[in-house]
């Protein structure tokens, strides 16, 4: 359950960064680098979630 909350929070952070770039609050290049790291994090969290779901079966 924790990993799903973490994934949701990571996606929320990504969305805030995207919005921040659109309203010129954040620099685009810096934000894109952070967004890439957040996407990597979400990918890894998805692997953990899938592994744990398979162990419960």
């Amino acid at each position: 359950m924790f990993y799903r909350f973490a994934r949701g929070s990571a996606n929320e952070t990504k969305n805030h960064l995207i919005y921040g770039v659109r309203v010129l609050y954040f620099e685009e290049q810096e934000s894109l680098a952070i967004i890439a790291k957040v996407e990597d994090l979400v990918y890894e969290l998805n692997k953990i979630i899938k592994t744990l779901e398979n162990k419960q079966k």
Side-chain angles (χ1 to χ4, degrees):
M1 189 75 127
F2 168 78
Y3 295 111
R4 288 187 178 151
F5 288 132
R7 180 179 59 189
S9 295
N11 281 316
E12 184 178 3
T13 300
K14 178 182 167 185
N15 289 332
H16 286 298
L17 286 165
I18 292 168
Y19 178 76
V21 169
R22 286 185 183 166
V23 297
L24 305 175
Y25 190 75
F26 300 128
E27 299 243 352
E28 185 173 3
Q29 291 303 315
E30 291 177 4
S31 295
L32 290 175
I34 297 169
I35 288 169
K37 290 180 181 185
V38 170
E39 288 173 345
D40 290 342
L41 174 64
V42 169
Y43 176 77
E44 295 298 328
L45 286 168
N46 284 334
K47 290 194 314 187
I48 292 170
I49 291 166
K50 186 171 183 174
T51 298
L52 292 174
E53 285 174 351
N54 289 337
K55 286 188 176 188
Q56 290 179 349
K57 294 179 181 181

